[in-house]
Amino acid sequence: MKNNKVITVTSPLLPSLDEFMPYLQDIWSRQWLTNNGYYHQELEKALCKYLKVPYISLFTNGTLPLMCALQALRITGEVITTPYSFVATTHSLWWNGIKPVFVDIDPVTCNIDPNKIEAAITPKTTAIMPVHVYGKPCDTEKIQTIADKYGLKVIYDAAHAFGVEVNGKSVLEAGDMSTLSFHATKVYNTIEGGALVCRDEKTKKRIDYLKNFGFAGETTIVAPGINGKMDEVRSAYGLLNLRQVDAAIDSRRQVAIKYREVLRNVEGISFMEDMSGVRHNYSYFPIFIDADKYGMTRDELYFKMKDQKVLGRRYFYPLISEFSTYRGLDSAIPENLPIAHKIANSVICLPMYHGLDSISVQRILEIIVR
Ligand SMILES: *Cc1c(COP(=O)(O)O)cnc(C)c1O
Protein backbone atom coordinates (compact mmCIF):
# COMPACT_ATOMS: atom_id res chain seq x y z
CA MET A 1 0.00 0.00 0.00
CA LYS A 2 1.37 3.38 -0.96
CA ASN A 3 1.57 6.04 1.71
CA ASN A 4 1.45 9.37 -0.06
CA LYS A 5 1.97 11.78 2.79
CA VAL A 6 4.86 14.19 2.19
CA ILE A 7 7.67 13.78 4.70
CA THR A 8 9.34 17.15 5.15
CA VAL A 9 12.99 17.58 6.07
CA THR A 10 12.05 19.31 9.30
CA SER A 11 9.04 20.37 11.33
CA PRO A 12 8.98 23.26 13.81
CA LEU A 13 8.85 22.74 17.55
CA LEU A 14 5.71 24.63 18.62
CA PRO A 15 4.54 25.32 22.18
CA SER A 16 0.95 24.41 23.00
CA LEU A 17 -1.43 27.17 21.96
CA ASP A 18 -3.41 26.76 25.19
CA GLU A 19 -0.30 27.37 27.24
CA PHE A 20 0.66 30.33 25.09
CA MET A 21 -2.67 32.19 25.51
CA PRO A 22 -2.14 33.31 29.14
CA TYR A 23 1.27 34.70 28.13
CA LEU A 24 -0.34 36.69 25.35
CA GLN A 25 -3.01 37.97 27.75
CA ASP A 26 -0.28 39.07 30.13
CA ILE A 27 1.62 40.88 27.35
CA TRP A 28 -1.61 42.61 26.29
CA SER A 29 -2.21 43.77 29.84
CA ARG A 30 1.38 44.94 30.36
CA GLN A 31 1.23 46.88 27.07
CA TRP A 32 5.02 46.59 26.71
CA LEU A 33 5.87 44.95 23.39
CA THR A 34 9.60 45.27 22.81
CA ASN A 35 12.80 47.03 24.10
CA ASN A 36 13.99 44.72 26.86
CA GLY A 37 10.58 43.92 28.34
CA TYR A 38 9.67 41.44 31.07
CA TYR A 39 9.65 38.30 28.90
CA HIS A 40 12.82 39.37 27.09
CA GLN A 41 14.62 39.57 30.43
CA GLU A 42 13.12 36.28 31.60
CA LEU A 43 14.20 34.50 28.42
CA GLU A 44 17.76 35.83 28.64
CA LYS A 45 17.96 34.53 32.23
CA ALA A 46 16.44 31.16 31.33
CA LEU A 47 18.75 30.70 28.34
CA CYS A 48 21.87 31.58 30.38
CA LYS A 49 20.87 28.86 32.81
CA TYR A 50 19.94 26.25 30.21
CA LEU A 51 22.97 26.90 27.99
CA LYS A 52 25.36 27.30 30.96
CA VAL A 53 26.73 30.63 29.76
CA PRO A 54 27.22 33.85 31.76
CA TYR A 55 25.97 36.47 29.24
CA ILE A 56 23.54 36.29 26.38
CA SER A 57 21.88 38.99 24.27
CA LEU A 58 18.70 38.13 22.39
CA PHE A 59 18.30 39.15 18.76
CA THR A 60 15.48 39.17 16.24
CA ASN A 61 17.24 36.57 14.06
CA GLY A 62 20.50 34.63 13.85
CA THR A 63 22.20 36.80 11.22
CA LEU A 64 22.29 40.08 13.15
CA PRO A 65 24.32 38.59 16.03
CA LEU A 66 26.99 37.59 13.50
CA MET A 67 27.03 41.13 12.13
CA CYS A 68 27.05 42.70 15.60
CA ALA A 69 29.75 40.37 16.94
CA LEU A 70 32.06 41.65 14.20
CA GLN A 71 31.13 45.23 15.13
CA ALA A 72 31.52 44.67 18.87
CA LEU A 73 35.01 43.22 18.41
CA ARG A 74 35.84 45.87 15.78
CA ILE A 75 36.93 43.28 13.25
CA THR A 76 38.34 44.59 9.94
CA GLY A 77 40.49 43.37 7.04
CA GLU A 78 40.32 39.62 6.43
CA VAL A 79 38.54 36.87 8.35
CA ILE A 80 39.22 33.17 7.92
CA THR A 81 36.05 31.12 7.57
CA THR A 82 34.53 27.99 6.07
CA PRO A 83 32.77 27.63 2.70
CA TYR A 84 30.70 24.76 4.16
CA SER A 85 27.96 26.69 5.95
CA PHE A 86 24.77 28.62 5.44
CA VAL A 87 25.39 31.81 3.41
CA ALA A 88 24.65 34.08 6.37
CA THR A 89 28.06 33.26 7.86
CA THR A 90 29.93 34.84 4.94
CA HIS A 91 27.30 37.51 4.29
CA SER A 92 27.90 38.91 7.80
CA LEU A 93 31.54 39.53 6.84
CA TRP A 94 30.57 41.18 3.56
CA TRP A 95 28.09 43.52 5.29
CA ASN A 96 30.97 44.65 7.51
CA GLY A 97 33.30 45.32 4.59
CA ILE A 98 35.47 42.37 5.59
CA LYS A 99 37.11 40.05 3.07
CA PRO A 100 36.22 36.38 3.68
CA VAL A 101 39.09 33.92 3.29
CA PHE A 102 37.91 30.34 2.79
CA VAL A 103 39.78 27.41 4.30
CA ASP A 104 38.99 23.77 3.52
CA ILE A 105 37.14 21.50 5.93
CA ASP A 106 37.86 18.32 7.85
CA PRO A 107 36.33 15.27 6.11
CA VAL A 108 35.10 13.71 9.35
CA THR A 109 33.51 16.64 11.17
CA CYS A 110 32.78 18.88 8.14
CA ASN A 111 34.12 21.78 10.24
CA ILE A 112 36.97 24.11 9.24
CA ASP A 113 40.25 22.15 9.26
CA PRO A 114 42.43 23.79 11.93
CA ASN A 115 45.56 22.39 10.29
CA LYS A 116 44.90 24.55 7.23
CA ILE A 117 44.19 27.84 9.02
CA GLU A 118 47.77 29.05 9.53
CA ALA A 119 48.58 28.95 5.82
CA ALA A 120 45.68 31.35 5.16
CA ILE A 121 46.77 33.99 7.68
CA THR A 122 48.07 37.27 6.20
CA PRO A 123 49.02 40.60 7.86
CA LYS A 124 45.39 41.68 7.28
CA THR A 125 43.83 38.74 9.15
CA THR A 126 42.04 39.83 12.32
CA ALA A 127 39.75 36.94 13.19
CA ILE A 128 38.57 33.38 12.56
CA MET A 129 34.87 32.60 12.07
CA PRO A 130 34.33 28.83 12.31
CA VAL A 131 30.94 27.09 12.30
CA HIS A 132 29.94 24.10 14.46
CA VAL A 133 28.42 22.39 11.43
CA TYR A 134 25.42 20.12 12.23
CA GLY A 135 26.12 20.97 15.89
CA LYS A 136 29.32 18.90 15.85
CA PRO A 137 31.84 20.85 17.95
CA CYS A 138 34.87 22.34 16.19
CA ASP A 139 38.36 21.58 17.48
CA THR A 140 38.11 24.67 19.68
CA GLU A 141 41.43 24.10 21.47
CA LYS A 142 43.47 23.94 18.30
CA ILE A 143 41.68 26.99 16.89
CA GLN A 144 42.32 28.95 20.10
CA THR A 145 46.01 28.06 20.06
CA ILE A 146 46.33 29.50 16.55
CA ALA A 147 44.28 32.56 17.47
CA ASP A 148 46.48 33.23 20.51
CA LYS A 149 49.68 32.78 18.51
CA TYR A 150 48.62 35.38 15.92
CA GLY A 151 46.49 37.64 18.13
CA LEU A 152 43.23 36.85 16.33
CA LYS A 153 39.66 36.97 17.65
CA VAL A 154 37.42 33.92 17.28
CA ILE A 155 33.67 34.20 16.61
CA TYR A 156 31.81 30.90 16.41
CA ASP A 157 28.70 30.61 14.30
CA ALA A 158 26.93 28.20 16.65
CA ALA A 159 23.57 28.40 14.85
CA HIS A 160 23.44 24.58 14.79
CA ALA A 161 24.86 24.00 18.26
CA PHE A 162 22.03 24.85 20.67
CA GLY A 163 22.53 22.86 23.87
CA VAL A 164 25.68 21.10 22.67
CA GLU A 165 28.15 20.35 25.46
CA VAL A 166 31.66 18.93 25.55
CA ASN A 167 32.56 17.17 28.80
CA GLY A 168 29.70 18.95 30.57
CA LYS A 169 30.75 22.40 29.36
CA SER A 170 28.81 24.44 26.80
CA VAL A 171 30.44 24.62 23.39
CA LEU A 172 29.32 28.28 23.43
CA GLU A 173 32.10 29.07 25.90
CA ALA A 174 34.75 28.69 23.22
CA GLY A 175 36.28 31.71 21.49
CA ASP A 176 35.47 35.36 22.09
CA MET A 177 31.80 35.10 21.13
CA SER A 178 29.27 32.59 19.81
CA THR A 179 26.10 33.24 17.86
CA LEU A 180 22.86 31.26 17.87
CA SER A 181 19.86 31.13 15.54
CA PHE A 182 16.36 30.46 16.80
CA HIS A 183 14.86 30.23 13.33
CA ALA A 184 11.78 28.00 12.94
CA THR A 185 13.87 25.22 11.35
CA LYS A 186 16.36 24.97 14.21
CA VAL A 187 16.33 22.58 17.20
CA TYR A 188 15.08 25.41 19.41
CA ASN A 189 13.09 28.23 17.84
CA THR A 190 11.39 31.53 18.63
CA ILE A 191 9.88 31.56 15.07
CA GLU A 192 12.60 34.00 14.01
CA GLY A 193 15.25 34.82 16.57
CA GLY A 194 18.83 34.50 17.64
CA ALA A 195 21.38 35.38 20.30
CA LEU A 196 24.94 36.45 20.91
CA VAL A 197 26.90 34.86 23.74
CA CYS A 198 29.85 36.76 25.23
CA ARG A 199 32.15 36.42 28.22
CA ASP A 200 31.85 39.64 30.25
CA GLU A 201 29.31 42.23 31.33
CA LYS A 202 31.01 45.14 29.59
CA THR A 203 30.86 43.37 26.23
CA LYS A 204 27.21 42.44 26.77
CA LYS A 205 26.46 46.10 27.41
CA ARG A 206 28.14 47.06 24.13
CA ILE A 207 26.22 44.35 22.25
CA ASP A 208 22.96 45.58 23.77
CA TYR A 209 23.75 49.13 22.58
CA LEU A 210 24.60 47.83 19.12
CA LYS A 211 21.31 45.96 18.73
CA ASN A 212 19.32 49.08 19.73
CA PHE A 213 20.70 51.72 17.30
CA GLY A 214 23.65 52.44 19.62
CA PHE A 215 21.44 54.16 22.24
CA ALA A 216 23.15 54.37 25.64
CA GLY A 217 20.58 56.78 27.08
CA GLU A 218 17.77 59.00 25.92
CA THR A 219 20.05 61.33 23.96
CA THR A 220 23.34 59.43 23.74
CA ILE A 221 24.51 57.30 20.84
CA VAL A 222 27.75 55.38 21.47
CA ALA A 223 27.99 53.33 18.27
CA PRO A 224 26.50 53.12 14.79
CA GLY A 225 24.06 50.45 15.93
CA ILE A 226 21.30 48.61 14.17
CA ASN A 227 17.84 47.35 15.11
CA GLY A 228 18.26 43.74 16.18
CA LYS A 229 15.78 43.57 19.05
CA MET A 230 13.66 40.56 20.01
CA ASP A 231 10.04 41.32 20.98
CA GLU A 232 7.89 40.23 23.94
CA VAL A 233 5.62 37.83 22.02
CA ARG A 234 8.50 35.75 20.68
CA SER A 235 10.34 35.93 24.02
CA ALA A 236 7.31 34.43 25.78
CA TYR A 237 6.99 31.79 23.04
CA GLY A 238 10.71 31.05 23.58
CA LEU A 239 10.23 30.55 27.31
CA LEU A 240 7.55 27.94 26.61
CA ASN A 241 9.60 26.18 23.94
CA LEU A 242 12.59 25.95 26.26
CA ARG A 243 10.54 23.68 28.54
CA GLN A 244 10.14 21.05 25.84
CA VAL A 245 13.47 21.28 24.03
CA ASP A 246 15.11 18.45 26.03
CA ALA A 247 12.28 16.09 25.12
CA ALA A 248 12.58 17.21 21.48
CA ILE A 249 16.33 16.49 21.44
CA ASP A 250 15.71 13.08 22.96
CA SER A 251 13.12 12.31 20.31
CA ARG A 252 15.60 13.34 17.58
CA ARG A 253 18.17 11.04 19.17
CA GLN A 254 15.78 8.11 18.79
CA VAL A 255 15.42 8.91 15.08
CA ALA A 256 19.23 9.05 14.68
CA ILE A 257 19.55 5.65 16.38
CA LYS A 258 17.05 4.09 13.95
CA TYR A 259 18.73 5.65 10.92
CA ARG A 260 22.17 4.44 11.99
CA GLU A 261 20.99 0.92 12.79
CA VAL A 262 19.89 0.36 9.19
CA LEU A 263 22.33 2.55 7.25
CA ARG A 264 25.34 0.92 8.92
CA ASN A 265 24.80 -2.02 6.54
CA VAL A 266 24.36 -0.04 3.34
CA GLU A 267 27.38 -0.07 1.04
CA GLY A 268 28.35 3.41 -0.17
CA ILE A 269 26.43 5.37 2.47
CA SER A 270 28.22 6.92 5.43
CA PHE A 271 27.02 9.10 8.30
CA MET A 272 28.33 10.80 11.43
CA GLU A 273 28.73 8.96 14.70
CA ASP A 274 28.33 10.51 18.15
CA MET A 275 31.56 11.90 19.59
CA SER A 276 32.68 10.72 23.01
CA GLY A 277 32.04 13.18 25.85
CA VAL A 278 29.71 15.29 23.68
CA ARG A 279 26.06 16.02 24.38
CA HIS A 280 24.72 16.21 20.82
CA ASN A 281 21.51 17.95 19.77
CA TYR A 282 20.79 15.83 16.65
CA SER A 283 19.97 18.97 14.71
CA TYR A 284 20.60 17.29 11.34
CA PHE A 285 21.16 13.80 10.00
CA PRO A 286 23.51 14.13 7.01
CA ILE A 287 24.38 11.07 4.93
CA PHE A 288 27.22 10.99 2.40
CA ILE A 289 26.88 9.03 -0.81
CA ASP A 290 29.83 7.35 -2.49
CA ALA A 291 28.30 7.01 -5.96
CA ASP A 292 30.68 4.25 -7.15
CA LYS A 293 29.97 2.01 -4.18
CA TYR A 294 26.30 2.89 -3.79
CA GLY A 295 25.54 2.64 -7.50
CA MET A 296 23.65 5.90 -7.66
CA THR A 297 24.74 9.52 -7.44
CA ARG A 298 23.71 11.87 -4.66
CA ASP A 299 21.37 13.77 -6.96
CA GLU A 300 19.81 10.55 -8.28
CA LEU A 301 19.00 9.50 -4.74
CA TYR A 302 17.84 12.99 -3.78
CA PHE A 303 15.36 13.11 -6.69
CA LYS A 304 14.28 9.51 -6.16
CA MET A 305 13.38 10.44 -2.57
CA LYS A 306 11.58 13.53 -3.82
CA ASP A 307 9.57 11.45 -6.31
CA GLN A 308 8.38 9.39 -3.37
CA LYS A 309 7.55 12.52 -1.39
CA VAL A 310 10.46 12.28 1.00
CA LEU A 311 12.13 15.67 1.12
CA GLY A 312 15.81 15.62 1.97
CA ARG A 313 18.00 18.70 1.73
CA ARG A 314 21.37 19.04 0.01
CA TYR A 315 22.76 20.96 2.94
CA PHE A 316 25.31 22.46 2.30
CA TYR A 317 25.22 22.60 -1.46
CA PRO A 318 26.35 24.63 -3.33
CA LEU A 319 29.29 25.78 -1.23
CA ILE A 320 29.25 29.47 -0.24
CA SER A 321 32.44 29.89 -2.30
CA GLU A 322 30.47 28.85 -5.41
CA PHE A 323 27.87 31.62 -5.20
CA SER A 324 28.46 34.40 -7.72
CA THR A 325 28.98 36.91 -4.91
CA TYR A 326 32.04 35.06 -3.60
CA ARG A 327 33.46 32.94 -6.41
CA GLY A 328 35.78 35.72 -7.55
CA LEU A 329 37.80 35.53 -4.32
CA ASP A 330 41.26 33.92 -4.54
CA SER A 331 40.42 31.52 -1.73
CA ALA A 332 37.19 30.42 -3.49
CA ILE A 333 38.95 28.42 -6.22
CA PRO A 334 37.93 24.75 -6.03
CA GLU A 335 41.60 23.60 -5.88
CA ASN A 336 41.82 25.34 -2.50
CA LEU A 337 38.73 23.53 -1.18
CA PRO A 338 38.81 19.91 -2.41
CA ILE A 339 37.28 18.29 0.68
CA ALA A 340 34.48 20.85 0.92
CA HIS A 341 33.61 20.23 -2.74
CA LYS A 342 33.61 16.48 -2.26
CA ILE A 343 31.33 16.68 0.78
CA ALA A 344 28.98 19.26 -0.79
CA ASN A 345 28.56 16.94 -3.78
CA SER A 346 27.81 13.86 -1.70
CA VAL A 347 25.58 15.09 1.14
CA ILE A 348 21.86 14.74 1.76
CA CYS A 349 20.34 15.68 5.11
CA LEU A 350 17.56 13.21 5.85
CA PRO A 351 14.30 14.31 7.48
CA MET A 352 15.00 14.92 11.16
CA TYR A 353 12.71 16.40 13.78
CA HIS A 354 11.11 15.64 17.13
CA GLY A 355 8.24 13.23 16.71
CA LEU A 356 9.26 11.91 13.28
CA ASP A 357 7.40 8.60 13.66
CA SER A 358 8.91 5.17 13.08
CA ILE A 359 6.63 4.41 10.12
CA SER A 360 7.98 7.48 8.34
CA VAL A 361 11.56 6.58 9.26
CA GLN A 362 10.91 3.11 7.84
CA ARG A 363 9.55 4.60 4.62
CA ILE A 364 12.62 6.84 4.24
CA LEU A 365 15.02 3.97 4.89
CA GLU A 366 13.29 1.67 2.41
CA ILE A 367 13.95 4.16 -0.39
CA ILE A 368 17.64 4.38 0.51
CA VAL A 369 18.28 0.68 1.18
CA ARG A 370 16.73 -0.64 -2.07
C1 LIG B 1 20.28 29.39 10.35
C2 LIG B 1 21.71 29.80 10.23
C3 LIG B 1 22.12 31.15 10.28
C4 LIG B 1 21.18 32.31 10.20
O1 LIG B 1 20.21 32.34 11.13
P1 LIG B 1 18.84 33.12 10.85
O2 LIG B 1 18.18 33.03 12.19
O3 LIG B 1 18.12 32.38 9.78
O4 LIG B 1 19.18 34.52 10.47
C5 LIG B 1 23.48 31.42 10.30
N1 LIG B 1 24.39 30.44 10.23
C6 LIG B 1 24.04 29.14 10.13
C7 LIG B 1 25.12 28.11 10.08
C8 LIG B 1 22.69 28.78 10.11
O5 LIG B 1 22.35 27.49 9.98
Side-chain angles (χ1 to χ4, degrees):
M1 207 169 61
K2 224 160 168 75
N3 182 346
N4 266 333
K5 196 182 78 171
V6 175
I7 302 176
T8 51
V9 68
T10 189
S11 172
L13 182 68
L14 279 155
S16 117
L17 198 51
D18 285 343
E19 280 184 87
F20 194 33
M21 291 316 273
Y23 283 74
L24 290 177
Q25 275 156 358
D26 189 49
I27 292 167
W28 258 243
S29 68
R30 285 172 188 273
Q31 306 232 335
W32 183 308
L33 300 180
T34 186
N35 290 70
N36 199 27
Y38 172 76
Y39 287 103
H40 183 284
Q41 291 175 32
E42 288 299 302
L43 183 57
E44 283 194 349
K45 276 188 250 166
L47 284 170
C48 277
K49 190 156 172 255
Y50 180 86
L51 297 169
K52 304 183 181 171
V53 294
Y55 300 99
I56 196 164
S57 295
L58 289 174
F59 276 82
T60 192
N61 59 49
T63 301
L64 284 160
L66 285 165
M67 291 167 59
C68 288
L70 293 162
Q71 286 283 324
L73 294 168
R74 299 180 170 87
I75 302 300
T76 57
E78 295 177 3
V79 170
I80 291 172
T81 188
T82 170
Y84 196 73
S85 180
F86 182 63
V87 279
T89 313
T90 307
H91 283 348
S92 72
L93 299 171
W94 206 258
W95 274 77
N96 277 286
I98 294 162
K99 182 178 171 187
V101 175
F102 298 115
V103 161
D104 207 5
I105 61 172
D106 177 282
V108 176
T109 62
C110 297
N111 291 327
I112 193 166
D113 184 343
N115 297 317
K116 293 180 181 157
I117 291 176
E118 277 194 86
I121 295 174
T122 76
K124 289 183 182 162
T125 310
T126 54
I128 308 170
M129 186 179 268
V131 181
H132 301 295
V133 175
Y134 308 131
K136 293 277 191 285
C138 289
D139 190 338
T140 55
E141 275 176 32
K142 232 178 211 173
I143 291 170
Q144 197 58 52
T145 304
I146 298 165
D148 291 344
K149 184 171 163 192
Y150 292 90
L152 308 176
K153 301 286 187 196
V154 185
I155 300 164
Y156 283 99
D157 180 339
H160 294 184
F162 187 88
V164 172
E165 294 176 8
V166 183
N167 298 322
K169 276 181 67 176
S170 172
V171 76
L172 305 171
E173 277 186 36
D176 295 278
M177 291 186 190
S178 292
T179 70
L180 289 164
S181 165
F182 305 149
H183 182 255
T185 55
K186 306 297 206 261
V187 168
Y188 168 81
N189 83 84
T190 58
I191 306 174
E192 292 271 2
L196 184 46
V197 171
C198 67
R199 293 168 165 288
D200 61 87
E201 197 173 349
K202 199 168 152 233
T203 307
K204 171 166 165 62
K205 210 166 184 180
R206 180 163 172 80
I207 292 164
D208 288 344
Y209 292 151
L210 280 170
K211 76 174 187 189
N212 186 27
F213 308 100
F215 275 112
E218 223 176 284
T219 53
T220 315
I221 293 287
V222 293
I226 199 161
N227 182 0
K229 303 187 303 294
M230 159 81 80
D231 61 77
E232 286 293 276
V233 174
R234 286 184 289 149
S235 299
Y237 173 108
L239 275 172
L240 277 174
N241 247 359
L242 197 54
R243 291 191 200 156
Q244 52 172 358
V245 72
D246 279 336
I249 290 173
D250 198 55
S251 169
R252 286 168 172 271
R253 193 170 66 87
Q254 301 304 328
V255 175
I257 290 169
K258 280 183 220 151
Y259 276 148
R260 285 176 185 154
E261 220 171 73
V262 173
L263 295 176
R264 210 175 288 289
N265 305 311
V266 181
E267 175 86 1
I269 301 267
S270 55
F271 52 82
M272 291 172 145
E273 300 283 359
D274 284 358
M275 295 157 76
S276 88
V278 175
R279 187 223 184 201
H280 292 287
N281 64 6
Y282 306 92
S283 45
Y284 301 89
F285 195 89
I287 60 168
F288 307 93
I289 292 102
D290 178 334
D292 290 337
K293 288 189 184 146
Y294 183 62
M296 198 184 246
T297 66
R298 184 274 306 271
D299 284 350
E300 283 166 350
L301 177 58
Y302 171 76
F303 288 110
K304 181 184 166 193
M305 286 164 57
K306 207 170 183 174
D307 281 347
Q308 300 191 37
K309 299 194 175 170
V310 171
L311 309 181
R313 187 174 175 197
R314 291 169 291 180
Y315 194 64
F316 296 104
Y317 168 84
L319 293 175
I320 301 176
S321 51
E322 288 298 295
F323 292 122
S324 57
T325 356
Y326 301 114
R327 59 184 314 163
L329 294 167
D330 293 342
S331 63
I333 56 163
E335 294 73 34
N336 185 45
L337 309 164
I339 312 276
H341 275 271
K342 186 166 178 262
I343 303 264
N345 288 321
S346 69
V347 69
I348 302 177
C349 285
L350 299 184
M352 169 54 88
Y353 51 90
H354 65 283
L356 179 62
D357 60 278
S358 39
I359 293 167
S360 298
V361 171
Q362 205 52 41
R363 208 178 113 202
I364 296 160
L365 286 168
E366 272 165 19
I367 299 171
I368 301 168
V369 172
R370 304 184 294 150

